[in-house]
Amino acid sequence: MARYLTPSKIGLLSLISLYTDSLVPSSAVIPIMSFIVSHLISVESPNSSYSSSSLSRPRNFIISIADFQEACSVYPSAIPGRNVWDLLLKRLWEINSFDALHVFFDDLNTLLVKTREEQKADAEQGIVKPPDNRILLSRTSPLGTFIRRAQLEFVRIQFHDAVTLWKNYVSYRQPTWATWRKRNPLAGRESFDVNLDGDVMHDRLTNAIYGQDSRKDAEIAGDVSTDDLERLLEFQVDEMQKLGNRIPSEVKSQFRGMLESNITIPSLSHYVKFLDSWRAGDYPSSFDHLHRYFDYTMQNRDRTFYQYALLNLAILQADFGCYSEAVAAMQETISAARENKDMGCLNFSLSWLYHFGKAHPNEVGGVGKRGMMSIEREGLAFLKTKAKETGMWSLWSTSLLSEAKLALANGESIPTAFENVIKSSHINVNKGMTNVVGSQMLLQSSLWGRLGMTHLSWSYSDMFLQCYAGQAPYDDVLKHICRSAYIMAQTGHYEDALARMQEVDSEWLRNLRTYQYWAIFSGVLKLRRELHRNNLRTAEHLLNQLFAQDSTEPDVAFEVKILDLDLLMRRGSYPEALEKLERLSSRSIDEDADVYHRARLLTLRAQLLSKCGAPLKGFSVAMRAASVAWRARILPSLWDALGAVANILVHLREFDAAVKLMVAIIPQILECEDAALSAHSYSVLIDAQMGLAGLAARGTPRRKEYLTKAMEYIDRAFDEYSRIEDIKGQCEMIAKKATIMHLVGDLELANDYAAKYLDLKQKWRNEIE
C-alpha cells in the first residue's frame, strides 16, 4: 500500500491542471472545485444519519473513475464540442508510460506561483515570463499544498512503490478504454503503455510486467494509501466517540481488507478495535487493544499521551463495573494531566469524576455525600470558569446543565434551573454544538414533566426526535425514545409505547450498554402493564429479570424498586413492603438522592401506613411529602401526596375536607395526563362522596346528590382504569356501583353490575391463563 499517492490523486492532479490551463469555464468552476476540495479537506456533514447505510461514509474517501465521469461529464469545457470529462480523459491517457508519469509530476511545479528565490533567479538571468492564460496557484492554498505534497511524496517514493503506483494507475484507468477508443480510433489494446506498441512479444511482455491483477484487488491496494487509511480511521474514531456506535459489519469487512493489504498497520487501528470491542461488551479484547494502541503510540512520545491512556482506561473500567479501579485510574489521570499541563484533559477528567460521583456516591469519597453541596457547587463553578478560559464550549454547556440538574435534585429554584438551561442552549446555538442538544432538551422535558405539563414534556422529546436525532449521540436519542414511550404508557397507550421502543435501529443495539438500557426500559414498561393487569406471576418473572440487570441510570433503577414495592402491596405483603421501603428511604437519605425520589417514597409510605391501619402516622408523612414536593415544585408528586392526605382524611371520617381538597386539585391532576394518578384521585373522591352520603339522612335530596356525584366519579375512574388496563381498579369501581344500586334500592341494576363484575373477573382469569 502506498504511503500517500494513489491513482485517484493522480486524477485530481490532472483535473487541477485543466483548471489552471483555463479549460474549465466559469459556470463549471464552482462545482469542479467543490468536487476537488471535498476530497482533499475533511468536511463534516451536518446532516448525518443514524442508519447503517450512512455509517459506510468512509467509501467517499475512495474516488472511483466513475466518480470523475459523473462530476465532469455534465459541464462543457472551454473547447467547443467537448465537456470537461473529455479533456480529463485525454489528460489521463496522455500519461502513457512510466516515464510520462515522472514527467507529469515534474511539470506540476509549473502550476504554482514561483518562490521569491526562483523569481529573483529568473530576474538575474533575464528570463521574462510570456503572458498566457494559465492560472497559477498559491503555494499555501489548499490546492497548492496538495500539489507540493504530491510532488514531495513522488520524489521520496521507492522505485518498487513507484512501479506499483504505475500498475495501479493503469488498472484504475482501464475501465475508460472503450470511451477513449471511440474518441481516438488509433488507440490500440496496448495504448495504456506506449512502450508496448509494435512489440511482437507484447502478450508475454504485458503479462510479465502487469500480471493478471484483478480490479477488485486494485480497489483495495491501489485506491487507498496509508494516509487515506489513517484519515478513515480518524473519521471512524470521531464517529464512534461522538455517536457512541460500533463499526457496522459492512465497514468492518472493508477495514479488514485494507489493513490486511497494508504492510505497516497504523496504530490508530488498534484504537478503533478497542472502541468496537468496548461497545460490544468484550472486556478482555478492549483491554488488550487499548494497551496495544498506547504501547505503539507512546514509543516515541514519552509521557505526552500518558494521561489519555489512563483516561480511556478509567472510562473502560467504569463501564464494566470496576468502579474502584476506575476512580484510581481517573485520579492518576488528573495527576498526569496537571504534570503535563494539559488543561483539556484535566477539565474533562474533573467533569467525568463529578458525574461519576453523582451516579455512584459510595465509590467516590466526599462526592455526593450529605453536606457536600457547597463542594459540588464549587466544582461546577471551577469547571465553568476553566471551560470558558480554554474555549471548551462543550464542557461549559455541560457544566451549566449539571448545575441545573443539581438545582432540581436539591429542590431549589426552578427559574434558576431554566436560566442555566437557556444559557446552555445559547452556547449550543452560537457554537453549533449539536452533540449537547440531546442532553439539553432531555433536561427541558424533565423540567416540564416536574411542573405537571406532560404535553410540553412530550413535545420536547418529540421535537428532538424529529429535528435533531440525526446529529446526536445514540444515548441521547435512546433516552428521548424511552421518555416518550414512558409518557405513552402513563396515558395507557401501551401498544404505542412498545412500538416506539421497537423503532430503535438494530444497529444501535449492537452496543452492549445501549442494548442493556433499552432492554431494562422495555422491561419496566411491560412490568407496569402486567401489574395493572394484576398478572402477578408474570410481573414477578419480569422483576427478577430486571434485578438481574443492574441499571446504571438512577431514575430507571429507582423505578424498578418502586414497581417492586407495588408488587408487594398488590399481594398484600405490607410488612415486607414497609421493610423494603424503610431501607430504600434510609439509603436515599445517605446518598442525598433526588428530592423527587424522596417525595415519592414519603407518599408511598403514607399510603402504605394507611392500608396497614395507621392513618394518623400516615397523615404526618403525607404532609411532609406534600411540603417537600411543594418546595421543589414537583407538581405530580404534590398532587399524589395531597391525594394520600385526602385518603387519610376519609379514614378519619373528615369527608367534607377530603372532598374540598380533591375537587380543588382534580383539574391539575388531569393536566398531568397520568391515568393511574387520575384514577386513584377519583377513587378517593368517590369514597369521600360516599362518606358524605352516609352522613346525610336517608331519602333526602342531599344524599341523592352525593350518590349521583359518586356514580359520576365512578364512571370517570373506571375509564381511567380501563385506559391503563387495571383490572383490579375496574372491578373495584363495578363493585362500588353495585353497592350504590343496593343503597338506592335498584336491585335489578345491582344484580347487573354484580354479573358484570363476575364477567370481568372471569375475563381476567382467562387472560392470565
Side-chain angles (χ1 to χ4, degrees), residues 400-466:
L400 288 169
L401 293 178
S402 298
E403 194 170 357
K405 290 178 183 178
L406 181 62
L408 291 178
N410 295 326
E412 298 173 8
S413 173
I414 294 294
T416 302
F418 269 112
E419 180 184 356
N420 287 323
V421 172
I422 297 303
K423 286 180 180 178
S424 174
S425 176
H426 178 73
I427 296 172
N428 296 339
V429 173
N430 282 349
K431 305 302 178 182
M433 297 185 304
T434 56
N435 59 326
V436 191
V437 174
S439 301
Q440 170 212 321
M441 297 191 72
L442 189 66
L443 183 57
Q444 286 177 298
S445 176
S446 178
L447 267 169
W448 290 117
R450 284 177 176 241
L451 294 175
M453 299 183 182
T454 307
H455 58 289
L456 278 177
S457 178
W458 161 267
S459 298
Y460 271 92
S461 289
D462 191 57
M463 187 192 311
F464 172 82
L465 294 174
Q466 293 293 331

Side-chain angles (χ1 to χ4, degrees), residues 449-650:
R450 284 177 176 241
L451 294 175
M453 299 183 182
T454 307
H455 58 289
L456 278 177
S457 178
W458 161 267
S459 298
Y460 271 92
S461 289
D462 191 57
M463 187 192 311
F464 172 82
L465 294 174
Q466 293 293 331
C467 303
Y468 299 99
Q471 308 170 41
Y474 284 5
D475 289 345
D476 290 345
V477 179
L478 179 62
K479 287 179 181 178
H480 277 281
I481 289 177
C482 292
R483 182 162 189 82
S484 59
Y486 186 81
I487 294 175
M488 289 178 180
Q490 270 190 339
T491 57
H493 298 91
Y494 289 111
E495 295 297 335
D496 294 338
L498 295 175
R500 172 59 64 90
M501 294 298 296
Q502 294 300 322
E503 291 177 5
V504 178
D505 192 347
S506 59
E507 186 66 36
W508 302 2
L509 301 181
R510 294 177 65 236
N511 187 331
L512 177 63
R513 187 176 178 183
T514 302
Y515 175 77
Q516 287 177 340
Y517 187 89
W518 175 83
I520 290 174
F521 209 93
S522 299
V524 167
L525 296 180
K526 294 177 182 178
L527 177 57
R528 285 185 57 140
R529 187 178 195 180
E530 296 304 327
L531 285 174
H532 287 153
R533 287 178 169 180
N534 212 32
N535 190 356
L536 304 184
R537 184 181 302 174
T538 305
E540 184 180 9
H541 179 67
L542 289 171
L543 192 62
N544 292 333
Q545 290 183 337
L546 291 174
F547 278 132
Q549 304 180 37
D550 188 18
S551 175
T552 57
E553 293 292 331
D555 291 336
V556 178
F558 179 76
E559 188 68 25
V560 172
K561 293 171 184 176
I562 292 297
L563 293 175
D564 181 29
L565 293 175
D566 189 13
L567 176 62
L568 293 175
M569 293 169 67
R570 287 177 180 272
R571 282 180 169 172
S573 304
Y574 297 127
E576 185 180 355
L578 191 58
E579 182 182 353
K580 281 192 175 183
L581 184 58
E582 290 287 349
R583 290 200 302 267
L584 194 57
S585 300
S586 61
R587 184 177 177 183
S588 67
I589 294 173
D590 293 338
E591 296 179 356
D592 197 14
D594 193 335
V595 66
Y596 168 72
H597 295 174
R598 299 201 299 269
R600 194 168 178 186
L601 289 175
L602 287 172
T603 303
L604 276 175
R605 180 179 172 81
Q607 294 173 350
L608 192 55
L609 289 173
S610 178
K611 290 183 178 181
C612 291
L616 287 177
K617 289 184 179 179
F619 184 80
S620 60
V621 175
M623 291 301 296
R624 281 174 53 202
S627 177
V628 169
W630 170 246
R631 285 199 306 268
R633 297 298 189 272
I634 307 176
L635 299 189
S637 296
L638 174 62
W639 311 140
D640 196 15
L642 291 178
V645 171
N647 188 37
I648 294 171
L649 290 174
V650 170

Side-chain angles (χ1 to χ4, degrees), residues 59 68 85 91 247 368 437 638 666 692 702 734:
R59 284 184 176 184
F68 280 104
W85 168 245
R91 189 76 44 109
I247 304 177
V437 174
L638 174 62
I666 279 290
L692 290 176
R702 183 174 295 274
I734 295 297

Side-chain angles (χ1 to χ4, degrees), residues 39-164:
H39 292 93
L40 297 182
I41 302 175
S42 299
V43 180
E44 183 178 356
S45 174
N47 297 319
S48 60
S49 174
Y50 280 97
S51 62
S52 58
S53 60
S54 70
L55 292 174
S56 59
R57 282 168 51 192
R59 284 184 176 184
N60 296 337
F61 286 98
I62 304 174
I63 317 173
S64 66
I65 196 68
D67 293 333
F68 280 104
Q69 182 176 2
E70 182 181 355
C72 300
S73 59
V74 295
Y75 301 107
S77 68
I79 300 177
R82 294 287 184 269
N83 56 34
V84 178
W85 168 245
D86 295 333
L87 301 183
L88 177 62
L89 189 63
K90 180 182 178 182
R91 189 76 44 109
L92 293 175
W93 280 91
E94 284 177 350
I95 308 174
N96 53 8
S97 67
F98 188 47
D99 179 69
L101 182 65
H102 282 76
V103 173
F104 173 78
F105 277 97
D106 290 340
D107 291 342
L108 288 178
N109 198 42
T110 61
L111 307 181
L112 304 175
V113 175
K114 292 184 177 181
T115 62
R116 287 185 179 181
E117 290 76 11
E118 292 174 342
Q119 293 175 3
K120 185 177 179 180
D122 290 346
E124 290 176 353
Q125 297 174 11
I127 299 175
V128 180
K129 178 186 175 184
D132 56 12
N133 294 327
R134 170 165 287 191
I135 301 172
L136 296 180
L137 302 173
S138 170
R139 305 181 76 87
T140 56
S141 65
L143 298 184
T145 304
F146 171 59
I147 290 173
R148 290 192 296 118
R149 173 76 185 278
Q151 272 190 311
L152 178 62
E153 291 293 339
F154 192 77
V155 170
R156 297 170 57 184
I157 196 171
Q158 299 290 329
F159 178 77
H160 176 269
D161 294 334
V163 172
T164 303

